[in-house]
Amino acid sequence: MLIPLSPECRLVFRSADTACAPTELAAIAGQVRDWERAVFIAEREMATANLWRGLRDGAAVLPAAVAEHLKKSAMVSDFRMQHLSQRLQGTARVLEERGIPFLLLKGAAVGALTDPTFRHRPMSDIDVLVQREDTARARDAVIASGWPLTTDP
């Protein structure tokens, strides 16, 4: 038996679909009763920017404090994604300059192909695959491009 999603969940998840019409989001927003929960879900899913753009474009009616929070969160997200995109370009440049073949994986690969700004597909990291024999050189190249050295716990 399928349990239907709450309006708060549906709003966030539909905002991730670029084919979703802003009027559809506005209609779902009209059903939301717990805006704090909707914002929490959006933040957890890194979807505040998409949610804000969809609600703004569809002229949805939402509480002023929620609109202001989403607007500010969207600006922060867009800035972070722009910065991450620039970091990826710099990293790719250094790897290429050093002759290290690499492959972007997961979100970075999709983003690089569909939206190089990463604005519509927020992420928190970049996954890069290199050949085993290039691991040490790739690590040095990534550090040289500005990434900090970290260790897994």
Side-chain angles (χ1 to χ4, degrees), residues 100-115:
I100 302 169
F102 66 95
L103 179 67
L104 296 177
L105 302 174
K106 303 186 314 189
V110 172
L113 291 172
T114 63
D115 177 21

Side-chain angles (χ1 to χ4, degrees), residues 9 22 31 33 35-36 62-64 78 83 88 94 98 104 109-110 124 132 135 152-153:
C9 287
Q31 300 170 12
R33 297 294 169 250
W35 280 102
E36 187 175 314
L62 60 155
D78 286 349
H83 179 68
L88 172 58
V94 170
R98 295 183 182 198
L104 296 177
V110 172
S124 59
R132 183 179 304 274
T135 303
D152 288 333

